[in-house]
Amino acid sequence: MNNNLSSIFNRIKEHRLLYNLALMGLIILGMALAAHFIMQLGTRHGARRTVPDLSGIGLDEARKIARANDLDLHINDSLFVPTYEGGIVLAQLPEGGVEVKPGRMIYITINSFREKMVPVPYVAGRSLRQAKNMLEIAGLEIERLVYRPDIATNYVLEEYCHNKPVLASSRVEAEVGSGVTLHVGVEEGESSTATPFLVGLPLKEAKGRLWESGLNIGKLHFDEGINMLNQKDARVYAQDPVARHYTSLGDEVDLRLTLNEKKISRESKSAQEAAQVLAKEQQREQERLDSLENLQLKALLSESTPAEGEHPAQDNNNSEFFD
């Protein structure tokens, strides 16, 4: 066997071109094998780590667990959730249980120790829409609308934050996301409003639509699986009263929210159909009232108009006087 290999090698050496080609092939093969093994070592091919579930764990402890599993931690974001302690891990990516290579970066969201404080803008004397926009720009929202008799409907009369009045001269601060109570005027006879269509909207946008319509947020019902972290992704799939229902300014509207896209699509179609039926009923009722009003007006006009050949009482009295 060795003699055969030696004979083949000697023959190749006798052919210079063939010898050079074989030598080049061996060099390329060797380089490819070396690069492969170096990459294997560099990427630790085949080595896997299971990402630990860090949710609900303090930041210091989470770092220790990450180091023990040959993983790196990076704080990607922070939120303020009052129900959790400061520094607690709220979310992570990749999630716990996923297999990754050693040295992988784990991005976490932690709970901040305190929410940022912002000045409360003075919005009294402005329209409800302007007041809402000013509060949102400041990082605040409306907690409740309280309507009081006034000549200017939907203009802010007074403003309260944490049950304390906000005045033009005061310097009130509140945590980002806090609510402000607004006392709003309503003129007699203008207290009715229609509920807006809210199905399919996220909670923040649904709240804005209600406040612009002069209505308050009622009870919130969240489907299973919705928490403080994914709440912003949930959308309304049902509301009570339904859209286009006429109610009084300051009344409450209850909302149901879900993360289920199919449920939202199904309920949105049903809600639209119900709103159209209600709109037609309201139109028929308005036409009936208009018709009744026209009949009453005609009756009044016929009673006040003298019949043909008759003279007003004043003419009869005048004729008697001249007689």
Side-chain angles (χ1 to χ4, degrees), residues 19 37 46 75 98 124 149 152 160-161 183-184 209 218 229 244 255 267-268 281 285 291 308 310 323:
Y19 176 77
F37 286 117
I75 300 174
V98 176
Y160 293 86
C161 182
H183 288 228
V184 189
R209 294 277 183 91
L229 298 177
R244 297 189 65 89
L255 304 176
E267 296 299 331
S268 177
E281 291 177 354
E285 178 63 16
S291 176
E308 187 177 352
E310 292 183 357
D323 287 343

Side-chain angles (χ1 to χ4, degrees), residues 273-310:
E273 293 173 352
Q276 291 172 357
V277 170
L278 183 58
K280 290 179 180 178
E281 291 177 354
Q282 290 171 347
Q283 184 178 358
R284 286 195 294 268
E285 178 63 16
Q286 188 60 49
E287 290 173 352
R288 187 187 70 82
L289 292 174
D290 292 342
S291 176
L292 182 61
E293 187 176 344
N294 287 335
L295 289 173
Q296 291 173 342
L297 183 60
K298 287 179 181 179
L300 288 172
L301 289 173
S302 63
E303 288 176 3
S304 61
T305 304
E308 187 177 352
E310 292 183 357

Side-chain angles (χ1 to χ4, degrees), residues 18-208:
L18 187 61
Y19 176 77
N20 289 335
L21 289 174
L23 187 60
M24 290 174 61
L26 289 172
I27 292 171
I28 292 171
L29 179 61
M31 291 175 64
L33 289 172
H36 174 72
F37 286 117
I38 290 171
M39 287 182 65
Q40 293 277 48
L41 292 172
T43 59
R44 297 188 235 184
H45 184 73
R48 309 294 288 179
R49 296 287 186 273
T50 301
V51 178
D53 184 5
L54 304 174
S55 58
I57 297 174
L59 182 58
D60 292 339
E61 183 65 21
R63 283 175 172 153
K64 291 178 182 178
I65 295 174
R67 282 196 297 269
N69 287 273
D70 200 7
L71 300 170
D72 293 329
L73 278 190
H74 177 73
I75 300 174
N76 189 48
D77 196 6
S78 64
L79 299 172
F80 181 70
V81 183
T83 53
Y84 292 95
E85 294 181 7
I88 295 294
V89 177
L90 300 175
Q92 66 183 80
L93 188 69
E95 298 178 349
V98 176
E99 286 193 349
V100 298
K101 293 179 180 180
R104 172 67 183 270
M105 184 71 73
I106 308 299
Y107 297 93
I108 61 173
T109 299
I110 66 168
N111 192 41
S112 58
F113 289 87
R114 189 183 178 190
E115 189 60 282
K116 184 173 69 174
M117 302 295 288
V118 295
V120 179
Y122 179 68
V123 299
R126 300 181 182 273
S127 69
L128 178 57
R129 184 183 291 270
Q130 289 176 320
K132 168 187 163 291
N133 291 339
M134 289 176 66
L135 290 171
E136 288 180 345
I137 291 171
L140 304 170
E141 64 178 24
I142 296 173
E143 181 177 2
R144 189 161 190 82
L145 297 173
V146 179
Y147 276 87
R148 290 169 20 192
D150 192 78
I151 58 172
T153 299
N154 277 331
Y155 270 78
V156 179
L157 305 176
E158 293 179 357
E159 174 185 4
Y160 293 86
C161 182
H162 300 309
N163 297 321
K164 295 180 180 180
V166 179
L167 307 175
S169 59
S170 61
R171 296 292 180 268
V172 180
E173 288 192 340
E175 293 180 349
V176 170
S178 296
V180 176
T181 298
L182 302 180
H183 288 228
V184 189
V186 56
E187 189 175 358
E188 186 178 356
E190 295 187 5
S191 62
S192 181
T193 185
T195 53
F197 187 86
L198 305 174
V199 176
L201 299 180
L203 180 58
K204 184 177 180 180
E205 190 174 343
K207 285 181 176 181

